[in-house]
PDB file of all heavy atoms in Angstrom:
ATOM      1  N   ALA Y 280      51.662 172.260  46.648  1.00  0.00           N
ATOM      2  CA  ALA Y 280      51.314 171.751  47.982  1.00  0.00           C
ATOM      3  C   ALA Y 280      51.186 172.873  49.006  1.00  0.00           C
ATOM      4  O   ALA Y 280      50.791 172.631  50.154  1.00  0.00           O
ATOM      5  CB  ALA Y 280      52.353 170.739  48.440  1.00  0.00           C
ATOM      6  N   GLY Y 281      51.538 174.103  48.609  1.00  0.00           N
ATOM      7  CA  GLY Y 281      51.434 175.248  49.520  1.00  0.00           C
ATOM      8  C   GLY Y 281      52.683 175.497  50.344  1.00  0.00           C
ATOM      9  O   GLY Y 281      52.630 176.210  51.352  1.00  0.00           O
ATOM     10  N   TYR Y 282      53.807 174.939  49.891  1.00  0.00           N
ATOM     11  CA  TYR Y 282      55.054 175.083  50.657  1.00  0.00           C
ATOM     12  C   TYR Y 282      56.143 175.761  49.818  1.00  0.00           C
ATOM     13  O   TYR Y 282      57.316 175.430  49.912  1.00  0.00           O
ATOM     14  CB  TYR Y 282      55.556 173.713  51.125  1.00  0.00           C
ATOM     15  CG  TYR Y 282      54.623 173.031  52.092  1.00  0.00           C
ATOM     16  CD1 TYR Y 282      54.014 171.819  51.764  1.00  0.00           C
ATOM     17  CD2 TYR Y 282      54.349 173.581  53.340  1.00  0.00           C
ATOM     18  CE1 TYR Y 282      53.151 171.179  52.643  1.00  0.00           C
ATOM     19  CE2 TYR Y 282      53.490 172.957  54.230  1.00  0.00           C
ATOM     20  CZ  TYR Y 282      52.897 171.759  53.879  1.00  0.00           C
ATOM     21  OH  TYR Y 282      52.054 171.124  54.764  1.00  0.00           O
ATOM     22  N   ASP Y 283      55.736 176.740  49.027  1.00  0.00           N
ATOM     23  CA  ASP Y 283      56.721 177.419  48.186  1.00  0.00           C
ATOM     24  C   ASP Y 283      57.729 178.221  48.997  1.00  0.00           C
ATOM     25  O   ASP Y 283      58.816 178.551  48.517  1.00  0.00           O
ATOM     26  CB  ASP Y 283      56.023 178.325  47.176  1.00  0.00           C
ATOM     27  CG  ASP Y 283      55.021 179.253  47.826  1.00  0.00           C
ATOM     28  OD1 ASP Y 283      54.175 178.774  48.598  1.00  0.00           O
ATOM     29  OD2 ASP Y 283      55.101 180.472  47.575  1.00  0.00           O
ATOM     30  N   LYS Y 284      57.399 178.499  50.264  1.00  0.00           N
ATOM     31  CA  LYS Y 284      58.346 179.201  51.142  1.00  0.00           C
ATOM     32  C   LYS Y 284      59.252 178.235  51.900  1.00  0.00           C
ATOM     33  O   LYS Y 284      60.135 178.658  52.653  1.00  0.00           O
ATOM     34  CB  LYS Y 284      57.589 180.088  52.120  1.00  0.00           C
ATOM     35  CG  LYS Y 284      56.851 181.239  51.452  1.00  0.00           C
ATOM     36  CD  LYS Y 284      56.182 182.147  52.474  1.00  0.00           C
ATOM     37  CE  LYS Y 284      55.476 183.312  51.791  1.00  0.00           C
ATOM     38  NZ  LYS Y 284      54.789 184.197  52.776  1.00  0.00           N
ATOM     39  N   GLY Y 285      59.018 176.958  51.698  1.00  0.00           N
ATOM     40  CA  GLY Y 285      59.885 175.956  52.288  1.00  0.00           C
ATOM     41  C   GLY Y 285      59.542 175.598  53.717  1.00  0.00           C
ATOM     42  O   GLY Y 285      58.592 176.120  54.310  1.00  0.00           O
ATOM     43  N   PHE Y 286      60.351 174.715  54.294  1.00  0.00           N
ATOM     44  CA  PHE Y 286      60.190 174.262  55.683  1.00  0.00           C
ATOM     45  C   PHE Y 286      61.461 173.513  56.073  1.00  0.00           C
ATOM     46  O   PHE Y 286      62.394 173.396  55.274  1.00  0.00           O
ATOM     47  CB  PHE Y 286      58.961 173.358  55.824  1.00  0.00           C
ATOM     48  CG  PHE Y 286      58.901 172.228  54.828  1.00  0.00           C
ATOM     49  CD1 PHE Y 286      59.537 171.022  55.081  1.00  0.00           C
ATOM     50  CD2 PHE Y 286      58.193 172.369  53.634  1.00  0.00           C
ATOM     51  CE1 PHE Y 286      59.493 169.985  54.178  1.00  0.00           C
ATOM     52  CE2 PHE Y 286      58.139 171.330  52.715  1.00  0.00           C
ATOM     53  CZ  PHE Y 286      58.796 170.137  52.987  1.00  0.00           C
ATOM     54  N   SER Y 287      61.486 172.998  57.277  1.00  0.00           N
ATOM     55  CA  SER Y 287      62.675 172.289  57.781  1.00  0.00           C
ATOM     56  C   SER Y 287      62.350 170.827  58.058  1.00  0.00           C
ATOM     57  O   SER Y 287      61.250 170.484  58.491  1.00  0.00           O
ATOM     58  CB  SER Y 287      63.184 172.940  59.073  1.00  0.00           C
ATOM     59  OG  SER Y 287      63.601 174.266  58.836  1.00  0.00           O
ATOM     60  N   LEU Y 288      63.333 169.964  57.803  1.00  0.00           N
ATOM     61  CA  LEU Y 288      63.218 168.535  58.072  1.00  0.00           C
ATOM     62  C   LEU Y 288      64.530 168.004  58.636  1.00  0.00           C
ATOM     63  O   LEU Y 288      65.609 168.545  58.336  1.00  0.00           O
ATOM     64  CB  LEU Y 288      62.906 167.753  56.786  1.00  0.00           C
ATOM     65  CG  LEU Y 288      61.466 167.732  56.269  1.00  0.00           C
ATOM     66  CD1 LEU Y 288      61.429 167.007  54.920  1.00  0.00           C
ATOM     67  CD2 LEU Y 288      60.540 167.035  57.261  1.00  0.00           C
ATOM     68  N   SER Y 289      64.440 166.945  59.418  1.00  0.00           N
ATOM     69  CA  SER Y 289      65.643 166.261  59.887  1.00  0.00           C
ATOM     70  C   SER Y 289      65.937 165.075  58.967  1.00  0.00           C
ATOM     71  O   SER Y 289      65.037 164.528  58.322  1.00  0.00           O
ATOM     72  CB  SER Y 289      65.453 165.752  61.324  1.00  0.00           C
ATOM     73  OG  SER Y 289      64.399 164.799  61.379  1.00  0.00           O
ATOM     74  N   LEU Y 290      67.189 164.679  58.906  1.00  0.00           N
ATOM     75  CA  LEU Y 290      67.615 163.515  58.129  1.00  0.00           C
ATOM     76  C   LEU Y 290      68.569 162.703  58.995  1.00  0.00           C
ATOM     77  O   LEU Y 290      69.667 163.155  59.312  1.00  0.00           O
ATOM     78  CB  LEU Y 290      68.298 163.943  56.824  1.00  0.00           C
ATOM     79  CG  LEU Y 290      68.950 162.840  55.978  1.00  0.00           C
ATOM     80  CD1 LEU Y 290      67.916 161.790  55.572  1.00  0.00           C
ATOM     81  CD2 LEU Y 290      69.636 163.441  54.748  1.00  0.00           C
ATOM     82  N   MET Y 291      68.156 161.504  59.380  1.00  0.00           N
ATOM     83  CA  MET Y 291      68.969 160.667  60.257  1.00  0.00           C
ATOM     84  C   MET Y 291      69.981 159.838  59.456  1.00  0.00           C
ATOM     85  O   MET Y 291      69.663 159.294  58.400  1.00  0.00           O
ATOM     86  CB  MET Y 291      68.099 159.704  61.061  1.00  0.00           C
ATOM     87  CG  MET Y 291      67.183 160.345  62.075  1.00  0.00           C
ATOM     88  SD  MET Y 291      66.631 159.154  63.349  1.00  0.00           S
ATOM     89  CE  MET Y 291      65.866 157.868  62.356  1.00  0.00           C
ATOM     90  N   ILE Y 292      71.181 159.744  60.020  1.00  0.00           N
ATOM     91  CA  ILE Y 292      72.218 158.859  59.500  1.00  0.00           C
ATOM     92  C   ILE Y 292      72.860 158.151  60.685  1.00  0.00           C
ATOM     93  O   ILE Y 292      72.584 158.474  61.843  1.00  0.00           O
ATOM     94  CB  ILE Y 292      73.301 159.614  58.698  1.00  0.00           C
ATOM     95  CG1 ILE Y 292      74.015 160.641  59.601  1.00  0.00           C
ATOM     96  CG2 ILE Y 292      72.706 160.282  57.471  1.00  0.00           C
ATOM     97  CD1 ILE Y 292      75.235 161.274  58.949  1.00  0.00           C
ATOM     98  N   SER Y 293      73.725 157.191  60.396  1.00  0.00           N
ATOM     99  CA  SER Y 293      74.520 156.539  61.432  1.00  0.00           C
ATOM    100  C   SER Y 293      75.933 156.348  60.905  1.00  0.00           C
ATOM    101  O   SER Y 293      76.116 155.989  59.733  1.00  0.00           O
ATOM    102  CB  SER Y 293      73.934 155.187  61.821  1.00  0.00           C
ATOM    103  OG  SER Y 293      74.798 154.493  62.709  1.00  0.00           O
ATOM    104  N   PRO Y 294      76.945 156.558  61.746  1.00  0.00           N
ATOM    105  CA  PRO Y 294      78.325 156.341  61.303  1.00  0.00           C
ATOM    106  C   PRO Y 294      78.618 154.880  60.981  1.00  0.00           C
ATOM    107  O   PRO Y 294      79.651 154.571  60.385  1.00  0.00           O
ATOM    108  CB  PRO Y 294      79.160 156.828  62.503  1.00  0.00           C
ATOM    109  CG  PRO Y 294      78.235 156.769  63.678  1.00  0.00           C
ATOM    110  CD  PRO Y 294      76.876 157.068  63.132  1.00  0.00           C
ATOM    111  N   THR Y 295      77.711 153.988  61.347  1.00  0.00           N
ATOM    112  CA  THR Y 295      77.880 152.573  61.033  1.00  0.00           C
ATOM    113  C   THR Y 295      78.030 152.353  59.533  1.00  0.00           C
ATOM    114  O   THR Y 295      78.771 151.473  59.096  1.00  0.00           O
ATOM    115  CB  THR Y 295      76.667 151.774  61.548  1.00  0.00           C
ATOM    116  OG1 THR Y 295      76.592 151.928  62.964  1.00  0.00           O
ATOM    117  CG2 THR Y 295      76.793 150.300  61.214  1.00  0.00           C
ATOM    118  N   ILE Y 296      77.322 153.153  58.737  1.00  0.00           N
ATOM    119  CA  ILE Y 296      77.444 153.075  57.281  1.00  0.00           C
ATOM    120  C   ILE Y 296      78.058 154.391  56.816  1.00  0.00           C
ATOM    121  O   ILE Y 296      77.361 155.403  56.657  1.00  0.00           O
ATOM    122  CB  ILE Y 296      76.083 152.815  56.620  1.00  0.00           C
ATOM    123  CG1 ILE Y 296      75.517 151.475  57.125  1.00  0.00           C
ATOM    124  CG2 ILE Y 296      76.208 152.797  55.094  1.00  0.00           C
ATOM    125  CD1 ILE Y 296      74.205 151.066  56.511  1.00  0.00           C
ATOM    126  N   PRO Y 297      79.378 154.419  56.610  1.00  0.00           N
ATOM    127  CA  PRO Y 297      80.082 155.683  56.349  1.00  0.00           C
ATOM    128  C   PRO Y 297      79.653 156.395  55.083  1.00  0.00           C
ATOM    129  O   PRO Y 297      79.799 157.616  54.979  1.00  0.00           O
ATOM    130  CB  PRO Y 297      81.558 155.253  56.289  1.00  0.00           C
ATOM    131  CG  PRO Y 297      81.546 153.789  56.041  1.00  0.00           C
ATOM    132  CD  PRO Y 297      80.303 153.269  56.688  1.00  0.00           C
ATOM    133  N   GLU Y 298      79.108 155.657  54.106  1.00  0.00           N
ATOM    134  CA  GLU Y 298      78.672 156.309  52.863  1.00  0.00           C
ATOM    135  C   GLU Y 298      77.501 157.256  53.094  1.00  0.00           C
ATOM    136  O   GLU Y 298      77.239 158.138  52.258  1.00  0.00           O
ATOM    137  CB  GLU Y 298      78.263 155.257  51.826  1.00  0.00           C
ATOM    138  CG  GLU Y 298      79.418 154.458  51.240  1.00  0.00           C
ATOM    139  CD  GLU Y 298      79.763 153.239  52.085  1.00  0.00           C
ATOM    140  OE1 GLU Y 298      79.142 153.064  53.169  1.00  0.00           O
ATOM    141  OE2 GLU Y 298      80.655 152.477  51.681  1.00  0.00           O
ATOM    142  N   TRP Y 299      76.793 157.069  54.185  1.00  0.00           N
ATOM    143  CA  TRP Y 299      75.584 157.875  54.390  1.00  0.00           C
ATOM    144  C   TRP Y 299      75.875 159.355  54.609  1.00  0.00           C
ATOM    145  O   TRP Y 299      75.122 160.207  54.149  1.00  0.00           O
ATOM    146  CB  TRP Y 299      74.793 157.323  55.578  1.00  0.00           C
ATOM    147  CG  TRP Y 299      74.023 156.083  55.246  1.00  0.00           C
ATOM    148  CD1 TRP Y 299      73.958 155.454  54.019  1.00  0.00           C
ATOM    149  CD2 TRP Y 299      73.211 155.311  56.129  1.00  0.00           C
ATOM    150  NE1 TRP Y 299      73.162 154.335  54.101  1.00  0.00           N
ATOM    151  CE2 TRP Y 299      72.680 154.225  55.379  1.00  0.00           C
ATOM    152  CE3 TRP Y 299      72.882 155.424  57.477  1.00  0.00           C
ATOM    153  CZ2 TRP Y 299      71.848 153.272  55.944  1.00  0.00           C
ATOM    154  CZ3 TRP Y 299      72.039 154.477  58.040  1.00  0.00           C
ATOM    155  CH2 TRP Y 299      71.536 153.411  57.284  1.00  0.00           C
ATOM    156  N   ARG Y 300      76.952 159.676  55.326  1.00  0.00           N
ATOM    157  CA  ARG Y 300      77.213 161.103  55.598  1.00  0.00           C
ATOM    158  C   ARG Y 300      77.438 161.900  54.312  1.00  0.00           C
ATOM    159  O   ARG Y 300      76.789 162.930  54.117  1.00  0.00           O
ATOM    160  CB  ARG Y 300      78.385 161.269  56.568  1.00  0.00           C
ATOM    161  CG  ARG Y 300      78.753 162.743  56.781  1.00  0.00           C
ATOM    162  CD  ARG Y 300      79.641 162.976  57.969  1.00  0.00           C
ATOM    163  NE  ARG Y 300      78.918 162.792  59.226  1.00  0.00           N
ATOM    164  CZ  ARG Y 300      78.142 163.709  59.770  1.00  0.00           C
ATOM    165  NH1 ARG Y 300      77.945 164.886  59.157  1.00  0.00           N
ATOM    166  NH2 ARG Y 300      77.524 163.482  60.902  1.00  0.00           N
ATOM    167  N   PRO Y 301      78.353 161.503  53.431  1.00  0.00           N
ATOM    168  CA  PRO Y 301      78.506 162.304  52.206  1.00  0.00           C
ATOM    169  C   PRO Y 301      77.240 162.351  51.365  1.00  0.00           C
ATOM    170  O   PRO Y 301      76.940 163.381  50.748  1.00  0.00           O
ATOM    171  CB  PRO Y 301      79.662 161.616  51.465  1.00  0.00           C
ATOM    172  CG  PRO Y 301      79.807 160.275  52.093  1.00  0.00           C
ATOM    173  CD  PRO Y 301      79.355 160.411  53.488  1.00  0.00           C
ATOM    174  N   MET Y 302      76.481 161.256  51.341  1.00  0.00           N
ATOM    175  CA  MET Y 302      75.217 161.289  50.599  1.00  0.00           C
ATOM    176  C   MET Y 302      74.230 162.246  51.264  1.00  0.00           C
ATOM    177  O   MET Y 302      73.494 162.971  50.584  1.00  0.00           O
ATOM    178  CB  MET Y 302      74.621 159.882  50.504  1.00  0.00           C
ATOM    179  CG  MET Y 302      75.334 158.978  49.513  1.00  0.00           C
ATOM    180  SD  MET Y 302      74.332 157.523  49.044  1.00  0.00           S
ATOM    181  CE  MET Y 302      74.398 156.551  50.547  1.00  0.00           C
ATOM    182  N   ALA Y 303      74.226 162.254  52.596  1.00  0.00           N
ATOM    183  CA  ALA Y 303      73.326 163.158  53.328  1.00  0.00           C
ATOM    184  C   ALA Y 303      73.650 164.611  53.040  1.00  0.00           C
ATOM    185  O   ALA Y 303      72.753 165.451  52.913  1.00  0.00           O
ATOM    186  CB  ALA Y 303      73.424 162.876  54.826  1.00  0.00           C
ATOM    187  N   LEU Y 304      74.932 164.920  52.915  1.00  0.00           N
ATOM    188  CA  LEU Y 304      75.333 166.296  52.629  1.00  0.00           C
ATOM    189  C   LEU Y 304      74.900 166.721  51.229  1.00  0.00           C
ATOM    190  O   LEU Y 304      74.514 167.875  51.001  1.00  0.00           O
ATOM    191  CB  LEU Y 304      76.848 166.443  52.799  1.00  0.00           C
ATOM    192  CG  LEU Y 304      77.371 166.223  54.226  1.00  0.00           C
ATOM    193  CD1 LEU Y 304      78.890 166.350  54.265  1.00  0.00           C
ATOM    194  CD2 LEU Y 304      76.726 167.201  55.202  1.00  0.00           C
ATOM    195  N   VAL Y 305      74.941 165.780  50.278  1.00  0.00           N
ATOM    196  CA  VAL Y 305      74.466 166.081  48.926  1.00  0.00           C
ATOM    197  C   VAL Y 305      72.955 166.321  48.954  1.00  0.00           C
ATOM    198  O   VAL Y 305      72.450 167.276  48.347  1.00  0.00           O
ATOM    199  CB  VAL Y 305      74.810 164.929  47.957  1.00  0.00           C
ATOM    200  CG1 VAL Y 305      74.099 165.122  46.618  1.00  0.00           C
ATOM    201  CG2 VAL Y 305      76.315 164.845  47.750  1.00  0.00           C
TER     202      VAL Y 305
END
C-alpha cells in the first residue's frame, strides 16, 4: 500500500467498558 515506513492513528475507547483499555494496549 506504500506505507512500509508506517504512520500514526488514534484509537478511541471509553471507561464505560473497562475491558477496552487493556485490549487497546494490546
Side-chain angles (χ1 to χ4, degrees):
Y282 296 117
D283 51 309
K284 294 184 179 179
F286 51 86
S287 297
L288 280 175
S289 62
L290 173 59
M291 293 200 303
I292 61 171
S293 173
T295 299
I296 299 182
E298 289 87 356
W299 283 359
R300 175 165 288 279
M302 285 197 288
L304 296 178
V305 170

